[in-house]
Coordinates of all heavy atoms in Angstrom, one line a residue:
M6 N 16.5 34.4 -16.1 CA 17.7 34.1 -15.4 C 17.8 34.7 -14.0 O 17.5 35.9 -13.9 CB 18.9 34.5 -16.3 CG 20.2 34.1 -15.7 SD 21.5 34.5 -16.8 CE 22.8 33.8 -15.9
V7 N 18.1 33.9 -13.1 CA 18.2 34.4 -11.7 C 19.7 34.7 -11.4 O 20.6 33.9 -11.6 CB 17.7 33.3 -10.7 CG1 17.9 33.8 -9.3 CG2 16.3 33.0 -11.0
G8 N 19.9 35.9 -10.9 CA 21.3 36.3 -10.6 C 21.6 36.3 -9.1 O 20.8 36.1 -8.3
C9 N 22.9 36.6 -8.8 CA 23.3 36.6 -7.4 C 22.6 37.8 -6.7 O 22.4 38.8 -7.3 CB 24.8 36.9 -7.4 SG 25.8 35.5 -7.9
G10 N 22.3 37.5 -5.4 CA 21.7 38.5 -4.6 C 20.2 38.5 -4.7 O 19.5 39.4 -4.1
T11 N 19.6 37.6 -5.4 CA 18.1 37.5 -5.5 C 17.6 36.4 -4.6 O 18.4 35.7 -3.9 CB 17.7 37.2 -6.9 OG1 18.2 35.9 -7.3 CG2 18.2 38.2 -7.9
F12 N 16.3 36.3 -4.5 CA 15.7 35.3 -3.6 C 16.2 33.9 -3.9 O 16.5 33.1 -3.0 CB 14.2 35.4 -3.7 CG 13.5 34.4 -2.8 CD1 13.5 34.5 -1.4 CD2 12.9 33.3 -3.4 CE1 12.9 33.6 -0.7 CE2 12.2 32.3 -2.6 CZ 12.2 32.5 -1.2
L13 N 16.3 33.6 -5.2 CA 16.8 32.3 -5.6 C 18.3 32.4 -6.0 O 18.6 32.3 -7.1 CB 16.0 31.7 -6.7 CG 14.5 31.5 -6.4 CD1 13.8 31.1 -7.7 CD2 14.4 30.4 -5.4
D14 N 19.1 32.7 -5.0 CA 20.5 33.0 -5.3 C 21.3 31.8 -5.5 O 21.6 31.0 -4.6 CB 21.0 33.8 -4.1 CG 22.4 34.4 -4.3 OD1 23.0 34.1 -5.3 OD2 22.8 35.2 -3.5
P15 N 21.7 31.5 -6.8 CA 22.5 30.3 -7.1 C 24.0 30.5 -6.6 O 24.7 29.5 -6.6 CB 22.4 30.2 -8.6 CG 22.2 31.6 -9.1 CD 21.4 32.3 -8.0
C16 N 24.4 31.7 -6.2 CA 25.7 31.9 -5.8 C 26.0 31.5 -4.4 O 27.2 31.4 -4.0 CB 26.1 33.4 -6.0 SG 25.9 34.0 -7.7
E17 N 25.0 31.4 -3.6 CA 25.2 31.0 -2.2 C 24.8 29.6 -2.0 O 23.7 29.2 -2.3 CB 24.5 31.9 -1.3 CG 24.8 31.6 0.1 CD 24.6 32.8 1.0 OE1 24.8 34.0 0.5 OE2 24.4 32.6 2.2
E18 N 25.7 28.8 -1.4 CA 25.4 27.4 -1.1 C 24.5 27.3 0.1 O 24.6 28.0 1.1 CB 26.7 26.8 -0.9 CG 26.7 25.3 -0.9 CD 28.1 24.7 -0.8 OE1 29.0 25.1 -1.6 OE2 28.4 24.0 0.1
W19 N 23.6 26.3 0.1 CA 22.7 26.1 1.2 C 23.6 25.6 2.4 O 24.5 24.7 2.2 CB 21.7 25.1 0.9 CG 20.7 24.8 2.0 CD1 19.6 25.6 2.3 CD2 20.8 23.9 3.1 NE1 19.0 25.1 3.5 CE2 19.8 24.1 4.0 CE3 21.7 22.9 3.4 CZ2 19.5 23.3 5.1 CZ3 21.5 22.1 4.5 CH2 20.4 22.3 5.3
R20 N 23.3 26.0 3.6 CA 24.0 25.6 4.8 C 22.9 25.2 5.9 O 21.9 25.9 5.9 CB 24.8 26.7 5.4 CG 26.0 27.0 4.5 CD 27.0 27.9 5.2 NE 28.1 28.2 4.3 CZ 28.4 29.4 3.9 NH1 27.7 30.5 4.3 NH2 29.5 29.6 3.2
P21 N 23.2 24.3 6.7 CA 22.2 24.0 7.8 C 22.2 25.2 8.8 O 23.2 26.0 8.9 CB 22.8 22.7 8.4 CG 24.1 22.5 7.9 CD 24.3 23.3 6.7
P22 N 21.1 25.3 9.6 CA 21.0 26.4 10.5 C 22.2 26.6 11.4 O 22.6 27.7 11.7 CB 19.7 26.1 11.2 CG 18.9 25.3 10.3 CD 19.9 24.4 9.6
A23 N 22.7 25.5 11.9 CA 23.9 25.6 12.9 C 25.1 26.2 12.2 O 25.8 27.1 12.7 CB 24.2 24.2 13.4
A24 N 25.3 25.9 10.9 CA 26.4 26.5 10.2 C 26.2 27.9 9.9 O 27.1 28.7 9.9 CB 26.6 25.7 8.9
R25 N 24.9 28.3 9.5 CA 24.6 29.7 9.3 C 24.8 30.5 10.6 O 25.3 31.6 10.5 CB 23.2 29.8 8.8 CG 23.0 29.3 7.4 CD 21.6 29.8 6.8 NE 20.5 29.3 7.7 CZ 19.7 28.3 7.3 NH1 19.8 27.7 6.2 NH2 18.7 27.9 8.1
S26 N 24.5 29.9 11.7 CA 24.7 30.6 13.0 C 26.1 30.8 13.3 O 26.5 31.9 13.7 CB 24.0 29.8 14.1 OG 22.6 29.8 14.0
A27 N 26.9 29.9 12.9 CA 28.4 30.0 13.2 C 29.0 31.1 12.3 O 29.8 31.9 12.7 CB 29.1 28.6 12.9
V28 N 28.5 31.1 11.0 CA 29.0 32.1 10.1 C 28.6 33.5 10.6 O 29.4 34.5 10.6 CB 28.5 31.9 8.6 CG1 28.7 33.1 7.7 CG2 29.1 30.6 8.1
E29 N 27.4 33.7 11.0 CA 26.9 34.9 11.5 C 27.7 35.4 12.8 O 28.0 36.5 12.9 CB 25.4 34.9 11.8 CG 24.8 36.2 12.3 CD 25.0 37.3 11.2 OE1 24.9 37.0 10.0 OE2 25.1 38.5 11.7
A30 N 27.9 34.4 13.7 CA 28.7 34.7 14.9 C 30.1 35.2 14.5 O 30.7 36.2 15.1 CB 28.8 33.5 15.8
K31 N 30.7 34.6 13.5 CA 32.1 35.0 13.1 C 32.0 36.4 12.5 O 32.9 37.2 12.7 CB 32.6 34.0 12.0 CG 34.0 34.3 11.5 CD 34.5 33.2 10.5 CE 35.8 33.6 10.0 NZ 36.3 32.6 9.1
R32 N 31.0 36.7 11.7 CA 30.8 38.0 11.2 C 30.7 39.1 12.3 O 31.3 40.2 12.2 CB 29.6 38.1 10.2 CG 29.8 37.5 8.9 CD 28.7 37.7 8.0 NE 28.8 36.9 6.8 CZ 27.9 36.3 6.1 NH1 26.6 36.4 6.5 NH2 28.1 35.6 5.0
E33 N 30.0 38.8 13.3 CA 29.8 39.7 14.4 C 31.1 39.9 15.1 O 31.4 41.1 15.5 CB 28.7 39.2 15.4 CG 27.3 39.3 14.9 CD 26.3 38.7 15.8 OE1 26.6 38.4 17.0 OE2 25.2 38.5 15.4
V34 N 31.9 38.9 15.3 CA 33.2 39.1 16.0 C 34.1 39.9 15.1 O 34.8 40.8 15.6 CB 33.9 37.7 16.2 CG1 35.3 37.8 16.6 CG2 33.1 36.9 17.3
Q35 N 34.1 39.7 13.8 CA 34.9 40.5 12.9 C 34.5 41.9 12.9 O 35.3 42.9 12.9 CB 34.9 39.9 11.5 CG 35.6 38.6 11.3 CD 35.5 38.0 10.0 OE1 34.5 38.2 9.3 NE2 36.4 37.1 9.6
A36 N 33.2 42.1 12.9 CA 32.6 43.5 12.9 C 33.0 44.2 14.2 O 33.3 45.4 14.2 CB 31.1 43.5 12.8
A37 N 33.1 43.5 15.3 CA 33.5 44.1 16.6 C 34.9 44.7 16.5 O 35.2 45.7 17.1 CB 33.4 43.2 17.7
F38 N 35.8 44.0 15.7 CA 37.2 44.4 15.6 C 37.4 45.4 14.6 O 38.5 46.0 14.4 CB 38.1 43.2 15.4 CG 38.3 42.4 16.6 CD1 37.7 41.2 16.8 CD2 39.1 42.9 17.7 CE1 38.0 40.4 17.9 CE2 39.3 42.2 18.8 CZ 38.7 40.9 18.9
T39 N 36.3 45.8 13.8 CA 36.5 46.8 12.8 C 35.8 48.1 13.2 O 35.7 49.0 12.4 CB 36.0 46.3 11.4 OG1 34.6 46.0 11.6 CG2 36.7 45.2 10.9
T40 N 35.4 48.2 14.4 CA 34.8 49.4 15.0 C 36.0 50.3 15.4 O 37.1 49.8 15.6 CB 33.9 49.2 16.1 OG1 34.6 48.6 17.2 CG2 32.7 48.4 15.7
V41 N 35.7 51.5 15.6 CA 36.8 52.4 16.1 C 37.3 51.9 17.5 O 38.5 51.9 17.7 CB 36.3 53.9 16.3 CG1 37.3 54.8 16.9 CG2 35.9 54.4 14.9
R42 N 36.4 51.4 18.3 CA 36.8 50.9 19.6 C 37.8 49.7 19.4 O 38.8 49.6 20.0 CB 35.6 50.5 20.5 CG 36.0 49.8 21.8 CD 34.9 49.1 22.5 NE 33.7 50.0 22.7 CZ 33.5 50.8 23.7 NH1 34.4 50.9 24.7 NH2 32.4 51.5 23.8
G43 N 37.3 48.7 18.6 CA 38.1 47.5 18.4 C 39.5 47.8 17.8 O 40.5 47.3 18.3
V44 N 39.5 48.6 16.8 CA 40.8 49.0 16.2 C 41.7 49.8 17.1 O 42.9 49.5 17.2 CB 40.6 49.7 14.9 CG1 41.9 50.2 14.3 CG2 39.9 48.8 13.8
G45 N 41.1 50.7 17.8 CA 41.9 51.5 18.8 C 42.5 50.7 19.9 O 43.7 50.8 20.2
E46 N 41.7 49.9 20.5 CA 42.2 49.1 21.6 C 43.2 48.0 21.1 O 44.3 47.8 21.8 CB 41.0 48.4 22.3 CG 40.2 49.4 23.1 CD 38.9 48.7 23.7 OE1 38.7 47.5 23.4 OE2 38.3 49.4 24.4
R47 N 43.0 47.4 20.0 CA 43.9 46.5 19.4 C 45.3 47.1 19.1 O 46.3 46.6 19.3 CB 43.3 45.7 18.2 CG 44.2 44.6 17.8 CD 43.6 43.8 16.6 NE 43.5 44.6 15.4 CZ 42.3 44.9 14.8 NH1 41.2 44.4 15.2 NH2 42.3 45.6 13.7
D48 N 45.2 48.3 18.5 CA 46.4 49.1 18.1 C 47.2 49.4 19.3 O 48.5 49.2 19.3 CB 46.0 50.3 17.4 CG 47.2 51.1 16.9 OD1 48.0 50.5 16.0 OD2 47.4 52.2 17.3
V49 N 46.6 49.9 20.4 CA 47.4 50.2 21.6 C 48.1 48.9 22.1 O 49.2 48.9 22.5 CB 46.5 50.8 22.7 CG1 47.2 50.9 24.0 CG2 46.0 52.2 22.2
F50 N 47.4 47.8 22.1 CA 47.9 46.5 22.6 C 49.0 46.0 21.7 O 50.1 45.6 22.3 CB 46.8 45.5 22.7 CG 47.3 44.1 23.1 CD1 47.6 43.9 24.5 CD2 47.4 43.1 22.3 CE1 48.0 42.7 24.9 CE2 47.8 41.9 22.7 CZ 48.1 41.7 24.0
E51 N 48.9 46.0 20.4 CA 49.8 45.4 19.5 C 51.1 46.3 19.2 O 52.0 45.7 18.7 CB 49.2 45.1 18.2 CG 48.1 44.0 18.3 CD 47.4 43.7 17.0 OE1 47.6 44.4 16.0 OE2 46.7 42.7 17.0
R52 N 51.1 47.5 19.6 CA 52.2 48.4 19.2 C 53.4 48.2 20.1 O 54.5 48.7 19.8 CB 51.8 49.8 19.2 CG 50.9 50.1 18.0 CD 50.4 51.5 18.1 NE 51.5 52.4 17.7 CZ 51.4 53.7 17.6 NH1 50.3 54.3 18.0 NH2 52.4 54.5 17.3
G53 N 53.3 47.5 21.2 CA 54.4 47.3 22.1 C 54.9 48.6 22.8 O 56.1 48.8 22.9
L54 N 53.9 49.4 23.2 CA 54.3 50.7 23.8 C 54.7 50.5 25.2 O 54.4 49.5 25.9 CB 53.0 51.6 23.7 CG 52.4 51.9 22.4 CD1 51.1 52.6 22.5 CD2 53.4 52.7 21.5
R55 N 55.5 51.5 25.7 CA 55.8 51.5 27.1 C 54.5 51.7 27.9 O 53.6 52.2 27.4 CB 56.8 52.7 27.4 CG 58.1 52.5 26.8 CD 59.1 53.6 27.1 NE 58.6 54.8 26.6 CZ 59.1 56.0 26.8 NH1 60.1 56.1 27.5 NH2 58.5 57.1 26.3
P56 N 54.5 51.2 29.1 CA 53.3 51.1 29.9 C 52.6 52.5 30.1 O 51.4 52.7 30.0 CB 53.7 50.6 31.3 CG 54.9 49.7 30.9 CD 55.6 50.4 29.8
I57 N 53.5 53.5 30.4 CA 52.9 54.9 30.5 C 52.3 55.4 29.2 O 51.2 56.0 29.3 CB 53.9 55.8 31.1 CG1 54.3 55.4 32.5 CG2 53.5 57.3 31.1 CD1 55.5 56.2 33.1
T58 N 52.9 55.2 28.1 CA 52.4 55.6 26.8 C 51.1 54.9 26.5 O 50.1 55.5 26.1 CB 53.5 55.4 25.7 OG1 54.7 56.0 26.1 CG2 53.0 55.9 24.4
A59 N 51.1 53.6 26.7 CA 49.9 52.8 26.5 C 48.7 53.3 27.4 O 47.6 53.4 26.9 CB 50.1 51.3 26.7
R60 N 49.0 53.6 28.6 CA 48.0 54.1 29.5 C 47.5 55.5 29.0 O 46.3 55.7 29.0 CB 48.5 54.3 31.0 CG 47.5 54.7 32.0 CD 48.0 55.1 33.3 NE 48.7 56.3 33.2 CZ 49.8 56.7 33.9 NH1 50.3 55.9 34.8 NH2 50.3 57.9 33.7
N61 N 48.4 56.3 28.6 CA 47.9 57.6 28.1 C 47.1 57.5 26.8 O 46.1 58.2 26.7 CB 49.1 58.5 27.8 CG 49.8 59.0 29.1 OD1 49.3 59.0 30.1 ND2 51.1 59.4 29.0
Y62 N 47.5 56.6 25.9 CA 46.7 56.4 24.7 C 45.3 55.8 25.1 O 44.3 56.2 24.5 CB 47.4 55.4 23.8 CG 48.5 56.0 23.0 CD1 49.1 57.3 23.3 CD2 49.1 55.3 21.9 CE1 50.1 57.8 22.6 CE2 50.1 55.9 21.2 CZ 50.6 57.1 21.5 OH 51.7 57.7 20.8
R63 N 45.2 54.9 26.0 CA 43.9 54.3 26.4 C 43.1 55.4 27.0 O 41.9 55.5 26.8 CB 44.1 53.2 27.4 CG 44.4 51.9 26.7 CD 44.3 50.7 27.7 NE 45.4 49.8 27.4 CZ 46.5 49.7 28.0 NH1 46.9 50.4 29.0 NH2 47.4 48.8 27.6
Q64 N 43.7 56.3 27.8 CA 42.9 57.4 28.4 C 42.4 58.3 27.3 O 41.3 58.8 27.4 CB 43.8 58.2 29.4 CG 43.1 59.2 30.1 CD 43.9 59.9 31.2 OE1 45.2 59.7 31.2 NE2 43.4 60.8 32.0
L65 N 43.2 58.6 26.3 CA 42.7 59.5 25.2 C 41.6 58.8 24.5 O 40.6 59.5 24.1 CB 43.9 59.8 24.3 CG 44.9 60.9 24.8 CD1 46.1 60.9 23.8 CD2 44.2 62.2 24.9
L66 N 41.7 57.5 24.2 CA 40.7 56.8 23.6 C 39.4 56.9 24.4 O 38.3 57.2 23.9 CB 41.0 55.3 23.4 CG 41.8 54.9 22.2 CD1 42.3 53.5 22.3 CD2 41.0 55.1 20.9
A67 N 39.5 56.6 25.7 CA 38.3 56.6 26.5 C 37.6 57.9 26.7 O 36.4 58.0 26.8 CB 38.7 56.0 27.9
T68 N 38.4 59.0 26.8 CA 37.8 60.3 27.1 C 37.5 61.2 25.9 O 36.6 62.0 25.9 CB 38.8 61.1 28.0 OG1 40.0 61.3 27.4 CG2 39.0 60.4 29.4
R69 N 38.3 61.0 24.8 CA 38.1 61.9 23.6 C 37.5 61.2 22.4 O 36.6 61.8 21.8 CB 39.5 62.5 23.2 CG 40.1 63.3 24.3 CD 39.7 64.7 24.3 NE 40.1 65.3 23.1 CZ 39.5 66.4 22.6 NH1 38.6 67.0 23.3 NH2 39.8 66.8 21.4
I70 N 37.9 60.0 22.1 CA 37.6 59.4 20.8 C 36.3 58.5 21.0 O 35.4 58.6 20.2 CB 38.8 58.6 20.3 CG1 39.9 59.6 20.0 CG2 38.4 57.9 19.0 CD1 41.2 59.0 19.6
L71 N 36.4 57.6 21.9 CA 35.3 56.6 22.1 C 33.9 57.2 22.4 O 32.9 56.6 21.9 CB 35.7 55.5 23.1 CG 36.9 54.7 22.6 CD1 37.2 53.6 23.6 CD2 36.7 54.1 21.2
P72 N 33.8 58.3 23.2 CA 32.5 58.8 23.4 C 31.8 59.1 22.1 O 30.5 59.1 22.0 CB 32.7 60.0 24.2 CG 34.0 59.7 25.0 CD 34.8 58.9 24.0
M73 N 32.5 59.5 21.1 CA 31.9 59.9 19.8 C 31.8 58.7 18.8 O 30.9 58.7 18.0 CB 32.7 61.1 19.2 CG 32.0 61.6 18.0 SD 32.9 63.2 17.6 CE 32.0 63.7 16.1
F74 N 32.8 57.9 18.8 CA 33.0 56.9 17.7 C 33.0 55.4 18.2 O 33.3 54.5 17.4 CB 34.3 57.1 17.0 CG 34.3 58.4 16.2 CD1 35.2 59.4 16.6 CD2 33.5 58.7 15.2 CE1 35.3 60.6 16.0 CE2 33.6 59.9 14.5 CZ 34.5 60.8 14.9
A75 N 32.7 55.1 19.4 CA 33.0 53.7 20.0 C 32.5 52.6 19.0 O 33.3 51.8 18.7 CB 32.3 53.6 21.3
E76 N 31.3 52.6 18.7 CA 30.7 51.4 17.9 C 30.6 51.8 16.4 O 30.0 51.0 15.7 CB 29.4 51.0 18.5 CG 29.5 50.6 20.0 CD 30.6 49.5 20.3 OE1 30.8 48.6 19.4 OE2 31.3 49.7 21.3
V77 N 31.1 52.8 16.0 CA 31.1 53.2 14.6 C 32.1 52.4 13.8 O 33.3 52.2 14.2 CB 31.4 54.7 14.4 CG1 31.5 55.1 12.9 CG2 30.4 55.6 15.2
P78 N 31.7 51.8 12.7 CA 32.7 51.0 11.9 C 33.8 52.0 11.4 O 33.5 53.1 11.0 CB 31.8 50.5 10.7 CG 30.4 50.5 11.2 CD 30.3 51.6 12.2
L79 N 35.0 51.6 11.5 CA 36.1 52.4 11.1 C 35.9 53.0 9.7 O 36.2 54.1 9.4 CB 37.4 51.6 11.2 CG 38.7 52.4 11.1 CD1 38.8 53.5 12.2 CD2 39.9 51.5 11.1
I80 N 35.4 52.2 8.8 CA 35.3 52.6 7.4 C 34.2 53.7 7.2 O 34.2 54.5 6.3 CB 34.9 51.4 6.5 CG1 35.2 51.7 5.1 CG2 33.5 50.9 6.8 CD1 35.1 50.5 4.1
A81 N 33.4 53.9 8.3 CA 32.3 54.9 8.2 C 32.7 56.3 8.7 O 32.0 57.2 8.6 CB 31.1 54.4 8.9
V82 N 33.9 56.4 9.3 CA 34.4 57.6 9.9 C 34.9 58.5 8.7 O 35.7 58.0 7.9 CB 35.5 57.4 10.9 CG1 36.0 58.7 11.4 CG2 35.0 56.5 12.0
T83 N 34.4 59.7 8.7 CA 34.7 60.6 7.6 C 35.7 61.7 8.1 O 35.8 61.9 9.3 CB 33.5 61.3 7.0 OG1 32.9 62.1 8.0 CG2 32.5 60.3 6.5
L84 N 36.2 62.4 7.1 CA 37.1 63.5 7.5 C 36.4 64.6 8.3 O 36.9 65.2 9.2 CB 37.7 64.1 6.2 CG 38.7 65.3 6.4 CD1 39.9 64.9 7.3 CD2 39.2 65.8 5.1
S85 N 35.1 64.8 7.9 CA 34.4 65.8 8.7 C 34.1 65.4 10.1 O 34.1 66.2 11.0 CB 33.0 66.2 7.9 OG 32.2 65.0 7.9
D86 N 34.0 64.1 10.3 CA 33.8 63.5 11.7 C 35.0 63.8 12.5 O 35.0 64.2 13.6 CB 33.5 62.0 11.7 CG 32.2 61.6 11.1 OD1 31.3 62.4 11.1 OD2 32.1 60.5 10.5
I87 N 36.2 63.6 11.9 CA 37.5 63.9 12.6 C 37.6 65.3 12.9 O 38.1 65.7 13.9 CB 38.6 63.3 11.7 CG1 38.5 61.7 11.7 CG2 40.0 63.7 12.4 CD1 39.4 61.1 10.7
K88 N 37.3 66.2 11.9 CA 37.4 67.6 12.1 C 36.5 68.1 13.2 O 36.8 68.9 14.0 CB 37.1 68.4 10.8 CG 38.3 68.3 9.9 CD 38.0 69.0 8.6 CE 39.2 68.9 7.7 NZ 39.0 69.7 6.4
T89 N 35.3 67.5 13.3 CA 34.3 67.8 14.4 C 34.9 67.4 15.7 O 34.8 68.1 16.7 CB 33.0 67.1 14.1 OG1 32.4 67.5 12.9 CG2 32.0 67.4 15.3
L90 N 35.6 66.2 15.8 CA 36.2 65.8 17.0 C 37.3 66.7 17.4 O 37.4 67.1 18.6 CB 36.7 64.4 16.8 CG 37.5 63.8 18.0 CD1 36.6 63.6 19.2 CD2 38.2 62.5 17.6
Q91 N 38.1 67.1 16.5 CA 39.2 68.0 16.8 C 38.7 69.4 17.3 O 39.4 70.0 18.1 CB 40.1 68.2 15.5 CG 41.0 67.0 15.2 CD 41.7 67.2 13.9 OE1 41.3 68.0 13.0 NE2 42.8 66.5 13.7
A92 N 37.6 69.8 16.8 CA 37.1 71.2 17.1 C 36.4 71.1 18.5 O 36.3 72.2 19.1 CB 36.0 71.6 16.1
S93 N 36.1 69.9 19.0 CA 35.4 69.9 20.3 C 36.4 69.9 21.4 O 37.5 69.8 21.4 CB 34.5 68.6 20.4 OG 35.3 67.4 20.3

């Protein structure tokens, strides 16, 4: 018996190459928004902050947080990573 996740995966439907490319592009866009950079920038934008507060938050992101975590998936950031950032 062949199970899901194997070479002959009956759980995944065949798609033409163009459709596979579109799915992969969608996954890349979603992944970009789940990085620390994507979530941080989106959060500052969506919170409806006053302009000075938003500018200050963007500056903190750019100078303190993003140099260490920019392209790291948010789910991969650990407590020890945050403690290291706070100690620096």
Side-chain angles (χ1 to χ4, degrees):
M6 180 172 187
V7 177
C9 290
T11 62
F12 178 70
L13 299 173
D14 190 348
C16 299
E17 184 153 336
E18 196 174 301
W19 183 87
R20 293 187 179 122
R25 287 193 303 254
S26 295
V28 168
E29 184 60 31
K31 183 177 178 181
R32 283 186 189 144
E33 288 177 13
V34 168
Q35 288 173 337
F38 284 108
T39 59
T40 63
V41 173
R42 176 191 309 274
V44 172
E46 290 174 353
R47 188 175 67 237
D48 184 60
V49 170
F50 177 75
E51 291 178 351
R52 289 178 74 182
L54 301 169
R55 292 182 298 175
I57 292 173
T58 304
R60 185 189 72 209
N61 290 339
Y62 282 14
R63 278 192 216 97
Q64 184 177 9
L65 285 171
L66 274 170
T68 59
R69 300 273 300 156
I70 298 168
L71 296 182
M73 186 171 182
F74 296 114
E76 301 308 319
V77 176
L79 189 60
I80 198 166
V82 178
T83 64
L84 180 59
S85 64
D86 293 332
I87 294 169
K88 287 182 178 182
T89 301
L90 175 67
Q91 288 175 334
S93 65

